[in-house]
mmCIF file of all heavy atoms in Angstrom:
data_model
loop_
_atom_site.group_PDB
_atom_site.id
_atom_site.type_symbol
_atom_site.label_atom_id
_atom_site.label_comp_id
_atom_site.label_asym_id
_atom_site.label_seq_id
_atom_site.Cartn_x
_atom_site.Cartn_y
_atom_site.Cartn_z
ATOM 1 N N LYS U 4 13.358 -8.729 -3.942
ATOM 2 C CA LYS U 4 14.739 -9.229 -4.015
ATOM 3 C C LYS U 4 14.857 -10.672 -3.500
ATOM 4 O O LYS U 4 15.881 -11.324 -3.723
ATOM 5 C CB LYS U 4 15.675 -8.310 -3.234
ATOM 6 C CG LYS U 4 15.437 -8.333 -1.743
ATOM 7 C CD LYS U 4 16.409 -7.411 -1.018
ATOM 8 C CE LYS U 4 16.148 -7.469 0.484
ATOM 9 N NZ LYS U 4 16.947 -6.512 1.243
ATOM 10 N N HIS U 5 13.836 -11.164 -2.813
ATOM 11 C CA HIS U 5 13.907 -12.539 -2.305
ATOM 12 C C HIS U 5 13.719 -13.590 -3.404
ATOM 13 O O HIS U 5 13.962 -14.764 -3.173
ATOM 14 C CB HIS U 5 12.877 -12.755 -1.186
ATOM 15 C CG HIS U 5 13.204 -11.965 0.038
ATOM 16 N ND1 HIS U 5 12.272 -11.241 0.757
ATOM 17 C CD2 HIS U 5 14.385 -11.748 0.645
ATOM 18 C CE1 HIS U 5 12.862 -10.622 1.752
ATOM 19 N NE2 HIS U 5 14.149 -10.917 1.711
ATOM 20 N N PRO U 9 17.170 -18.176 -11.464
ATOM 21 C CA PRO U 9 17.465 -19.615 -11.363
ATOM 22 C C PRO U 9 18.690 -20.063 -12.154
ATOM 23 O O PRO U 9 19.100 -21.205 -12.044
ATOM 24 C CB PRO U 9 16.200 -20.263 -11.919
ATOM 25 C CG PRO U 9 15.735 -19.282 -12.941
ATOM 26 C CD PRO U 9 16.083 -17.920 -12.415
ATOM 27 N N GLN U 22 6.074 -22.037 -9.041
ATOM 28 C CA GLN U 22 5.031 -21.413 -9.875
ATOM 29 C C GLN U 22 5.538 -20.189 -10.640
ATOM 30 O O GLN U 22 4.790 -19.253 -10.922
ATOM 31 C CB GLN U 22 3.804 -21.034 -9.042
ATOM 32 C CG GLN U 22 2.580 -21.865 -9.392
ATOM 33 C CD GLN U 22 1.318 -21.354 -8.719
ATOM 34 O OE1 GLN U 22 1.365 -20.732 -7.663
ATOM 35 N NE2 GLN U 22 0.182 -21.631 -9.324
ATOM 36 N N LEU U 24 7.687 -19.678 -14.230
ATOM 37 C CA LEU U 24 8.331 -20.303 -15.386
ATOM 38 C C LEU U 24 9.273 -19.286 -16.019
ATOM 39 O O LEU U 24 8.854 -18.176 -16.357
ATOM 40 C CB LEU U 24 7.278 -20.736 -16.419
ATOM 41 C CG LEU U 24 7.843 -21.224 -17.766
ATOM 42 C CD1 LEU U 24 8.634 -22.516 -17.611
ATOM 43 C CD2 LEU U 24 6.716 -21.420 -18.789
ATOM 44 N N TYR U 30 17.345 -17.894 -26.953
ATOM 45 C CA TYR U 30 17.440 -19.318 -26.667
ATOM 46 C C TYR U 30 16.705 -20.050 -27.782
ATOM 47 O O TYR U 30 15.630 -19.614 -28.201
ATOM 48 C CB TYR U 30 16.769 -19.579 -25.311
ATOM 49 C CG TYR U 30 16.823 -20.990 -24.827
ATOM 50 C CD1 TYR U 30 17.984 -21.505 -24.255
ATOM 51 C CD2 TYR U 30 15.708 -21.818 -24.923
ATOM 52 C CE1 TYR U 30 18.033 -22.806 -23.801
ATOM 53 C CE2 TYR U 30 15.746 -23.125 -24.457
ATOM 54 C CZ TYR U 30 16.912 -23.599 -23.904
ATOM 55 O OH TYR U 30 16.941 -24.901 -23.441
ATOM 56 N N MET U 38 6.373 -28.488 -21.305
ATOM 57 C CA MET U 38 5.543 -27.756 -20.341
ATOM 58 C C MET U 38 4.519 -28.715 -19.724
ATOM 59 O O MET U 38 3.772 -29.366 -20.462
ATOM 60 C CB MET U 38 4.819 -26.627 -21.084
ATOM 61 C CG MET U 38 3.865 -25.815 -20.241
ATOM 62 S SD MET U 38 4.756 -24.662 -19.187
ATOM 63 C CE MET U 38 3.436 -24.115 -18.101
ATOM 64 N N VAL U 53 -8.807 -20.670 -17.887
ATOM 65 C CA VAL U 53 -7.439 -20.131 -17.872
ATOM 66 C C VAL U 53 -7.451 -18.775 -18.569
ATOM 67 O O VAL U 53 -7.874 -18.655 -19.725
ATOM 68 C CB VAL U 53 -6.440 -21.089 -18.563
ATOM 69 C CG1 VAL U 53 -5.035 -20.506 -18.500
ATOM 70 C CG2 VAL U 53 -6.478 -22.471 -17.921
ATOM 71 N N ASN U 63 0.016 -5.376 -10.771
ATOM 72 C CA ASN U 63 -1.147 -4.915 -9.981
ATOM 73 C C ASN U 63 -2.462 -5.503 -10.481
ATOM 74 O O ASN U 63 -3.276 -5.979 -9.702
ATOM 75 C CB ASN U 63 -1.280 -3.385 -10.050
ATOM 76 C CG ASN U 63 -0.260 -2.688 -9.184
ATOM 77 O OD1 ASN U 63 0.582 -3.334 -8.576
ATOM 78 N ND2 ASN U 63 -0.322 -1.368 -9.137
ATOM 79 N N GLU U 67 -4.595 -8.828 -8.593
ATOM 80 C CA GLU U 67 -5.944 -8.544 -8.066
ATOM 81 C C GLU U 67 -6.980 -9.465 -8.718
ATOM 82 O O GLU U 67 -7.880 -9.974 -8.042
ATOM 83 C CB GLU U 67 -6.336 -7.082 -8.348
ATOM 84 C CG GLU U 67 -5.785 -6.104 -7.345
ATOM 85 C CD GLU U 67 -6.228 -6.375 -5.911
ATOM 86 O OE1 GLU U 67 -7.447 -6.458 -5.663
ATOM 87 O OE2 GLU U 67 -5.354 -6.501 -5.030
ATOM 88 N N ASP U 85 13.161 -7.822 -13.200
ATOM 89 C CA ASP U 85 12.916 -6.913 -12.062
ATOM 90 C C ASP U 85 11.413 -6.739 -11.836
ATOM 91 O O ASP U 85 10.952 -6.630 -10.688
ATOM 92 C CB ASP U 85 13.619 -5.558 -12.258
ATOM 93 C CG ASP U 85 13.191 -4.838 -13.534
ATOM 94 O OD1 ASP U 85 12.786 -5.500 -14.513
ATOM 95 O OD2 ASP U 85 13.256 -3.593 -13.558
ATOM 96 N N ARG U 86 10.625 -6.770 -12.911
ATOM 97 C CA ARG U 86 9.161 -6.649 -12.756
ATOM 98 C C ARG U 86 8.537 -7.979 -12.340
ATOM 99 O O ARG U 86 7.577 -7.992 -11.565
ATOM 100 C CB ARG U 86 8.556 -6.100 -14.051
ATOM 101 C CG ARG U 86 9.060 -4.679 -14.271
ATOM 102 C CD ARG U 86 8.431 -3.935 -15.401
ATOM 103 N NE ARG U 86 8.972 -2.588 -15.394
ATOM 104 C CZ ARG U 86 8.872 -1.729 -16.392
ATOM 105 N NH1 ARG U 86 8.223 -2.079 -17.494
ATOM 106 N NH2 ARG U 86 9.392 -0.530 -16.301
ATOM 107 N N ALA U 109 6.588 -12.626 -24.761
ATOM 108 C CA ALA U 109 5.210 -13.061 -24.999
ATOM 109 C C ALA U 109 5.078 -14.055 -26.161
ATOM 110 O O ALA U 109 4.420 -15.097 -26.018
ATOM 111 C CB ALA U 109 4.335 -11.832 -25.262
ATOM 112 N N PRO U 132 3.803 1.501 -26.694
ATOM 113 C CA PRO U 132 3.261 1.871 -28.018
ATOM 114 C C PRO U 132 4.283 1.887 -29.160
ATOM 115 O O PRO U 132 3.922 1.708 -30.299
ATOM 116 C CB PRO U 132 2.680 3.273 -27.785
ATOM 117 C CG PRO U 132 3.300 3.790 -26.540
ATOM 118 C CD PRO U 132 3.756 2.605 -25.731
ATOM 119 N N VAL U 156 -6.040 -19.318 -27.851
ATOM 120 C CA VAL U 156 -7.342 -18.975 -27.261
ATOM 121 C C VAL U 156 -8.415 -19.873 -27.879
ATOM 122 O O VAL U 156 -8.404 -20.127 -29.081
ATOM 123 C CB VAL U 156 -7.665 -17.478 -27.482
ATOM 124 C CG1 VAL U 156 -9.106 -17.155 -27.076
ATOM 125 C CG2 VAL U 156 -6.687 -16.594 -26.699
ATOM 126 N N LEU U 184 -8.705 -13.749 -38.233
ATOM 127 C CA LEU U 184 -8.927 -14.771 -37.201
ATOM 128 C C LEU U 184 -9.755 -14.203 -36.060
ATOM 129 O O LEU U 184 -10.341 -14.942 -35.272
ATOM 130 C CB LEU U 184 -7.572 -15.256 -36.651
ATOM 131 C CG LEU U 184 -6.656 -15.904 -37.679
ATOM 132 C CD1 LEU U 184 -5.235 -16.048 -37.121
ATOM 133 C CD2 LEU U 184 -7.200 -17.265 -38.084
ATOM 134 N N ASP U 197 -15.081 3.251 -21.612
ATOM 135 C CA ASP U 197 -15.529 3.026 -20.234
ATOM 136 C C ASP U 197 -15.789 1.530 -20.071
ATOM 137 O O ASP U 197 -16.487 0.930 -20.899
ATOM 138 C CB ASP U 197 -16.816 3.826 -19.983
ATOM 139 C CG ASP U 197 -17.237 3.752 -18.522
ATOM 140 O OD1 ASP U 197 -16.347 3.622 -17.651
ATOM 141 O OD2 ASP U 197 -18.450 3.811 -18.261
ATOM 142 N N PHE U 206 -0.045 1.540 -14.983
ATOM 143 C CA PHE U 206 -0.126 2.512 -16.079
ATOM 144 C C PHE U 206 -1.530 3.075 -16.237
ATOM 145 O O PHE U 206 -1.691 4.230 -16.625
ATOM 146 C CB PHE U 206 0.406 1.899 -17.382
ATOM 147 C CG PHE U 206 1.900 2.001 -17.465
ATOM 148 C CD1 PHE U 206 2.710 1.023 -16.911
ATOM 149 C CD2 PHE U 206 2.510 3.106 -18.037
ATOM 150 C CE1 PHE U 206 4.098 1.132 -16.939
ATOM 151 C CE2 PHE U 206 3.897 3.236 -18.071
ATOM 152 C CZ PHE U 206 4.695 2.237 -17.514
#
Side-chain angles (χ1 to χ4, degrees):
K4 67 179 181 186
H5 293 135
Q22 248 189 333
L24 172 66
Y30 182 78
M38 177 76 191
V53 181
N63 284 3
E67 277 301 305
D85 58 333
R86 295 187 176 165
V156 171
L184 299 167
D197 186 30
F206 276 87

